[in-house]
Amino acid sequence: MRIRNVDYHVVETNQESGRGTLLLLHGFTGSHATYDAILPMFAADFHCVTVDLLGHGNTDAPLDSARYGMEEQAADLIALLDGLGVREASVLGYSMGGRLALGLATLYPDRIRTLVLQSASPGLESEEAREARILKDNALADKIRTRGVADFVADWEQLPLFATQRSISEDAQDKVRAERLNQRAHGLAGSLDGMGTGAQPSLWEALPELQIPTLLLAGQEDQKFCGIALEMKTVLPDAKYITFSNAGHTIHIEQPEAFGCAVRNWLRIRGGTE
Protein backbone atom coordinates (compact mmCIF):
# COMPACT_ATOMS: atom_id res chain seq x y z
CA MET A 1 0.00 0.00 0.00
CA ARG A 2 1.51 3.32 -1.09
CA ILE A 3 1.35 5.84 1.76
CA ARG A 4 2.95 9.29 1.62
CA ASN A 5 5.53 8.12 -0.92
CA VAL A 6 6.41 4.99 1.07
CA ASP A 7 5.34 1.40 0.34
CA TYR A 8 3.78 -0.16 3.46
CA HIS A 9 3.03 -3.85 3.96
CA VAL A 10 -0.54 -4.03 5.30
CA VAL A 11 -2.68 -7.09 6.04
CA GLU A 12 -6.43 -6.94 6.65
CA THR A 13 -8.48 -9.65 8.38
CA ASN A 14 -12.30 -9.81 8.65
CA GLN A 15 -12.91 -6.74 6.54
CA GLU A 16 -16.68 -7.22 6.75
CA SER A 17 -16.90 -6.86 10.53
CA GLY A 18 -19.39 -4.25 11.67
CA ARG A 19 -17.96 -4.01 15.18
CA GLY A 20 -15.08 -1.71 14.38
CA THR A 21 -11.43 -1.73 13.33
CA LEU A 22 -8.40 -2.75 15.39
CA LEU A 23 -5.00 -1.49 14.23
CA LEU A 24 -2.12 -3.59 15.64
CA LEU A 25 1.38 -2.10 15.95
CA HIS A 26 4.43 -4.27 16.64
CA GLY A 27 7.59 -3.47 18.57
CA PHE A 28 11.17 -2.82 17.49
CA THR A 29 12.52 -5.70 15.34
CA GLY A 30 8.94 -6.97 14.84
CA SER A 31 6.51 -7.11 11.94
CA HIS A 32 2.86 -7.72 11.11
CA ALA A 33 3.48 -11.36 12.10
CA THR A 34 4.04 -10.39 15.76
CA TYR A 35 0.39 -11.05 16.63
CA ASP A 36 -0.15 -14.14 14.46
CA ALA A 37 -0.85 -16.47 17.40
CA ILE A 38 -3.61 -14.32 18.89
CA LEU A 39 -4.97 -12.52 15.85
CA PRO A 40 -7.82 -15.03 15.38
CA MET A 41 -9.15 -14.10 18.84
CA PHE A 42 -9.50 -10.48 17.72
CA ALA A 43 -10.54 -11.12 14.13
CA ALA A 44 -13.56 -13.12 15.30
CA ASP A 45 -15.11 -9.78 16.28
CA PHE A 46 -13.17 -6.98 14.63
CA HIS A 47 -11.76 -5.83 11.33
CA CYS A 48 -8.05 -6.23 12.08
CA VAL A 49 -5.28 -4.31 10.34
CA THR A 50 -1.69 -5.41 10.90
CA VAL A 51 1.17 -3.44 9.41
CA ASP A 52 4.94 -3.56 9.11
CA LEU A 53 6.04 -0.23 10.56
CA LEU A 54 8.57 1.94 8.78
CA GLY A 55 11.94 0.22 8.37
CA HIS A 56 10.56 -3.16 9.47
CA GLY A 57 9.52 -6.33 7.69
CA ASN A 58 8.39 -5.71 4.11
CA THR A 59 7.72 -1.99 4.47
CA ASP A 60 10.14 0.50 2.94
CA ALA A 61 13.18 1.60 4.95
CA PRO A 62 14.04 5.19 3.99
CA LEU A 63 17.63 6.34 4.44
CA ASP A 64 16.59 9.66 6.01
CA SER A 65 16.20 9.05 9.76
CA ALA A 66 13.93 12.11 10.07
CA ARG A 67 11.30 10.20 8.08
CA TYR A 68 10.99 7.77 11.02
CA GLY A 69 9.93 10.49 13.47
CA MET A 70 6.78 9.95 15.51
CA GLU A 71 4.80 12.70 13.78
CA GLU A 72 5.76 11.31 10.37
CA GLN A 73 4.78 7.75 11.24
CA ALA A 74 1.56 8.88 12.92
CA ALA A 75 0.65 10.76 9.74
CA ASP A 76 1.38 7.57 7.78
CA LEU A 77 -1.03 5.58 9.95
CA ILE A 78 -3.79 8.15 9.54
CA ALA A 79 -3.25 8.06 5.78
CA LEU A 80 -3.37 4.25 5.99
CA LEU A 81 -6.75 4.37 7.77
CA ASP A 82 -8.00 6.90 5.24
CA GLY A 83 -6.94 4.60 2.41
CA LEU A 84 -8.90 1.74 3.99
CA GLY A 85 -11.95 3.92 4.50
CA VAL A 86 -11.68 3.72 8.30
CA ARG A 87 -12.76 6.83 10.17
CA GLU A 88 -12.08 5.60 13.72
CA ALA A 89 -10.04 2.68 15.04
CA SER A 90 -8.95 1.06 18.25
CA VAL A 91 -5.17 0.67 18.44
CA LEU A 92 -3.10 -2.05 20.12
CA GLY A 93 0.59 -1.27 20.41
CA TYR A 94 3.47 -3.23 21.92
CA SER A 95 6.64 -1.48 23.20
CA MET A 96 7.79 0.78 20.34
CA GLY A 97 4.39 0.24 18.74
CA GLY A 98 2.79 1.28 22.02
CA ARG A 99 4.78 4.51 22.06
CA LEU A 100 3.64 5.18 18.50
CA ALA A 101 0.03 4.30 19.37
CA LEU A 102 0.09 6.80 22.21
CA GLY A 103 1.61 9.44 19.95
CA LEU A 104 -1.07 8.73 17.36
CA ALA A 105 -3.77 9.21 20.00
CA THR A 106 -2.33 12.52 21.22
CA LEU A 107 -1.94 13.89 17.69
CA TYR A 108 -5.24 12.57 16.28
CA PRO A 109 -7.57 11.94 19.25
CA ASP A 110 -10.71 12.12 17.12
CA ARG A 111 -9.52 9.12 15.07
CA ILE A 112 -8.86 6.73 17.95
CA ARG A 113 -11.68 4.91 19.75
CA THR A 114 -9.66 3.05 22.39
CA LEU A 115 -6.00 2.36 23.17
CA VAL A 116 -4.36 -0.86 24.34
CA LEU A 117 -0.76 -0.27 25.41
CA GLN A 118 1.40 -3.31 26.14
CA SER A 119 4.78 -2.78 27.82
CA ALA A 120 4.79 0.80 26.58
CA SER A 121 5.76 4.24 27.82
CA PRO A 122 5.09 7.92 27.02
CA GLY A 123 8.81 8.49 26.62
CA LEU A 124 11.34 10.12 28.93
CA GLU A 125 10.32 13.16 30.97
CA SER A 126 13.59 15.08 31.36
CA GLU A 127 15.73 16.62 28.65
CA GLU A 128 18.84 15.12 30.24
CA ALA A 129 17.39 11.60 30.13
CA ARG A 130 16.37 12.05 26.50
CA GLU A 131 19.80 13.30 25.49
CA ALA A 132 21.51 10.38 27.22
CA ARG A 133 19.15 7.90 25.55
CA ILE A 134 19.69 9.48 22.14
CA LEU A 135 23.44 8.93 22.48
CA LYS A 136 22.85 5.31 23.50
CA ASP A 137 20.39 4.63 20.66
CA ASN A 138 22.61 6.32 18.08
CA ALA A 139 25.55 4.17 19.19
CA LEU A 140 23.41 1.05 18.84
CA ALA A 141 22.23 2.19 15.40
CA ASP A 142 25.83 2.65 14.27
CA LYS A 143 26.66 -0.82 15.59
CA ILE A 144 23.78 -2.35 13.61
CA ARG A 145 24.93 -0.60 10.43
CA THR A 146 28.50 -1.79 10.98
CA ARG A 147 27.99 -5.33 12.25
CA GLY A 148 24.73 -6.28 10.56
CA VAL A 149 21.41 -7.69 11.75
CA ALA A 150 22.51 -11.21 12.74
CA ASP A 151 25.22 -9.94 15.07
CA PHE A 152 22.82 -7.43 16.58
CA VAL A 153 20.09 -10.03 17.15
CA ALA A 154 22.52 -12.33 18.95
CA ASP A 155 23.21 -9.53 21.44
CA TRP A 156 19.60 -8.29 21.57
CA GLU A 157 18.29 -11.70 22.63
CA GLN A 158 20.55 -11.64 25.69
CA LEU A 159 19.09 -8.44 27.14
CA PRO A 160 17.57 -8.91 30.62
CA LEU A 161 14.38 -7.41 29.18
CA PHE A 162 13.83 -10.61 27.18
CA ALA A 163 15.08 -13.16 29.72
CA THR A 164 11.54 -14.46 30.36
CA GLN A 165 11.24 -15.47 26.70
CA ARG A 166 13.53 -18.39 27.45
CA SER A 167 10.63 -20.12 29.18
CA ILE A 168 8.48 -20.31 26.03
CA SER A 169 8.60 -23.21 23.59
CA GLU A 170 11.51 -23.60 21.19
CA ASP A 171 9.14 -23.18 18.25
CA ALA A 172 7.92 -19.86 19.65
CA GLN A 173 11.48 -18.71 20.29
CA ASP A 174 12.46 -19.68 16.75
CA LYS A 175 9.55 -17.65 15.34
CA VAL A 176 10.59 -14.56 17.30
CA ARG A 177 14.21 -14.99 16.19
CA ALA A 178 13.20 -15.39 12.54
CA GLU A 179 11.12 -12.21 12.75
CA ARG A 180 14.10 -10.30 14.17
CA LEU A 181 16.50 -11.68 11.58
CA ASN A 182 14.14 -10.75 8.74
CA GLN A 183 15.06 -7.07 9.07
CA ARG A 184 17.41 -4.68 7.30
CA ALA A 185 20.26 -2.99 9.12
CA HIS A 186 19.52 0.49 7.78
CA GLY A 187 15.82 0.10 8.63
CA LEU A 188 16.45 -0.79 12.27
CA ALA A 189 19.10 1.93 12.54
CA GLY A 190 16.78 4.53 11.04
CA SER A 191 14.03 3.51 13.45
CA LEU A 192 16.37 3.96 16.43
CA ASP A 193 17.67 7.31 15.19
CA GLY A 194 14.25 8.70 14.27
CA MET A 195 11.90 7.23 16.84
CA GLY A 196 13.94 5.75 19.65
CA THR A 197 12.77 6.45 23.19
CA GLY A 198 15.10 9.45 23.40
CA ALA A 199 14.29 10.86 19.96
CA GLN A 200 10.53 10.83 20.45
CA PRO A 201 8.85 13.74 22.25
CA SER A 202 7.81 13.14 25.85
CA LEU A 203 4.05 12.54 26.00
CA TRP A 204 3.69 12.66 29.79
CA GLU A 205 2.21 16.16 29.80
CA ALA A 206 -0.44 15.16 27.26
CA LEU A 207 -1.79 12.23 29.31
CA PRO A 208 -4.13 14.19 31.65
CA GLU A 209 -5.96 15.59 28.60
CA LEU A 210 -6.29 12.25 26.79
CA GLN A 211 -9.94 11.27 27.09
CA ILE A 212 -9.57 8.01 25.13
CA PRO A 213 -10.31 4.80 27.09
CA THR A 214 -6.94 3.11 27.63
CA LEU A 215 -5.98 -0.40 28.69
CA LEU A 216 -2.48 -0.66 30.18
CA LEU A 217 -0.84 -4.10 30.18
CA ALA A 218 2.40 -5.27 31.77
CA GLY A 219 4.00 -8.56 32.79
CA GLN A 220 4.73 -8.93 36.50
CA GLU A 221 8.35 -9.90 35.75
CA ASP A 222 8.84 -6.63 33.86
CA GLN A 223 9.05 -4.36 36.88
CA LYS A 224 10.20 -1.28 34.98
CA PHE A 225 7.14 -1.25 32.74
CA CYS A 226 4.80 -2.21 35.57
CA GLY A 227 5.96 0.96 37.27
CA ILE A 228 5.49 3.05 34.13
CA ALA A 229 1.98 1.64 33.61
CA LEU A 230 1.00 2.41 37.20
CA GLU A 231 2.29 5.97 36.85
CA MET A 232 0.37 6.40 33.60
CA LYS A 233 -2.80 5.13 35.23
CA THR A 234 -2.62 7.82 37.89
CA VAL A 235 -2.74 10.62 35.30
CA LEU A 236 -4.89 9.20 32.49
CA PRO A 237 -8.58 10.17 32.85
CA ASP A 238 -9.93 6.78 31.72
CA ALA A 239 -7.49 3.90 32.18
CA LYS A 240 -7.49 0.31 33.36
CA TYR A 241 -4.33 -1.55 34.36
CA ILE A 242 -3.85 -5.33 34.16
CA THR A 243 -0.75 -7.32 35.07
CA PHE A 244 0.05 -10.86 33.98
CA SER A 245 1.81 -13.41 36.15
CA ASN A 246 4.62 -15.54 34.68
CA ALA A 247 5.26 -12.95 31.99
CA GLY A 248 7.78 -10.23 31.22
CA HIS A 249 7.97 -7.68 28.42
CA THR A 250 6.41 -9.86 25.70
CA ILE A 251 3.09 -10.87 27.28
CA HIS A 252 1.53 -11.70 23.91
CA ILE A 253 4.17 -14.41 23.42
CA GLU A 254 4.62 -15.63 26.99
CA GLN A 255 0.92 -15.70 27.97
CA PRO A 256 -0.92 -15.48 24.63
CA GLU A 257 -4.28 -16.88 25.77
CA ALA A 258 -4.54 -14.68 28.86
CA PHE A 259 -3.34 -11.68 26.90
CA GLY A 260 -5.75 -12.30 24.04
CA CYS A 261 -8.73 -12.78 26.35
CA ALA A 262 -7.97 -9.60 28.29
CA VAL A 263 -7.65 -7.49 25.15
CA ARG A 264 -10.67 -9.07 23.44
CA ASN A 265 -12.90 -8.54 26.48
CA TRP A 266 -11.79 -4.93 26.80
CA LEU A 267 -12.41 -4.25 23.12
CA ARG A 268 -15.85 -5.85 23.23
CA ILE A 269 -16.83 -3.45 26.01
CA ARG A 270 -14.97 -0.26 25.06
CA GLY A 271 -13.86 -0.65 21.45
CA GLY A 272 -16.87 -1.88 19.52
CA THR A 273 -19.52 -0.02 17.59
CA GLU A 274 -22.44 -2.04 18.88
Side-chain angles (χ1 to χ4, degrees):
M1 185 175 182
R2 191 72 175 172
I3 300 170
R4 302 179 67 235
N5 299 316
V6 172
D7 285 329
Y8 267 82
H9 184 75
V10 181
V11 178
E12 291 185 271
T13 310
N14 192 11
Q15 294 172 256
E16 305 304 317
S17 173
R19 295 198 63 183
T21 295
L22 174 63
L23 175 64
L24 299 97
L25 306 179
H26 61 78
F28 183 64
T29 74
S31 72
H32 70 282
T34 289
Y35 292 105
D36 277 357
I38 53 177
L39 189 63
M41 299 181 71
F42 306 147
D45 293 316
F46 297 93
H47 166 218
C48 293
V49 179
T50 52
V51 55
D52 290 351
L53 293 173
L54 205 64
H56 289 75
N58 295 316
T59 288
D60 282 351
L63 295 178
D64 181 7
S65 61
R67 184 62 180 82
Y68 293 79
M70 180 171 282
E71 290 190 7
E72 292 283 348
Q73 293 204 55
D76 288 349
L77 294 176
I78 292 300
L80 184 158
L81 294 177
D82 288 343
L84 298 178
V86 174
R87 171 60 196 167
E88 189 178 52
S90 294
V91 185
L92 163 59
Y94 157 63
S95 199
M96 179 192 76
R99 291 190 285 110
L100 179 55
L102 189 56
L104 183 66
T106 60
L107 290 166
Y108 304 94
D110 60 322
R111 302 296 299 271
I112 309 303
R113 178 177 291 273
T114 59
L115 276 176
V116 181
L117 305 178
Q118 177 202 173
S119 307
S121 87
L124 300 169
E125 292 187 77
S126 75
E127 185 66 28
E128 293 79 7
R130 289 195 295 275
E131 289 177 358
R133 183 58 184 262
I134 287 172
L135 291 175
K136 183 177 179 181
D137 284 346
N138 288 351
L140 180 57
D142 288 342
K143 183 182 290 187
I144 295 172
R145 291 187 180 98
T146 303
R147 294 170 51 188
V149 172
D151 228 23
F152 158 71
V153 169
D155 291 342
W156 189 251
E157 290 178 333
Q158 301 308 312
L159 291 177
L161 188 67
F162 303 119
T164 51
Q165 286 187 7
R166 294 166 197 154
S167 65
I168 64 178
S169 70
E170 288 190 16
D171 285 347
Q173 291 186 57
D174 288 344
K175 183 180 182 302
V176 173
R177 184 174 296 112
E179 194 174 7
R180 289 169 173 161
L181 290 170
N182 187 36
Q183 307 291 346
R184 292 146 295 178
H186 71 280
L188 294 182
S191 181
L192 282 170
D193 286 340
M195 210 190 77
T197 306
Q200 77 154 75
S202 173
L203 302 174
W204 282 103
E205 291 185 1
L207 298 188
E209 307 302 321
L210 193 66
Q211 299 296 326
I212 297 169
T214 303
L215 178 62
L216 304 167
L217 307 174
Q220 288 183 1
E221 304 301 317
D222 187 5
Q223 295 184 6
K224 174 182 175 180
F225 282 87
C226 283
I228 292 172
L230 279 170
E231 190 174 354
M232 291 173 68
K233 185 179 185 301
T234 64
V235 293
L236 283 165
D238 185 359
K240 180 178 181 179
Y241 170 51
I242 299 176
T243 59
F244 295 79
S245 59
N246 301 313
H249 199 64
T250 51
I251 315 162
H252 62 290
I253 296 171
E254 297 167 55
Q255 296 293 336
E257 186 172 352
F259 175 86
C261 286
V263 174
R264 182 184 61 192
N265 292 342
W266 166 264
L267 291 173
R268 283 175 173 174
I269 297 169
R270 306 302 300 271
T273 57
E274 295 181 351

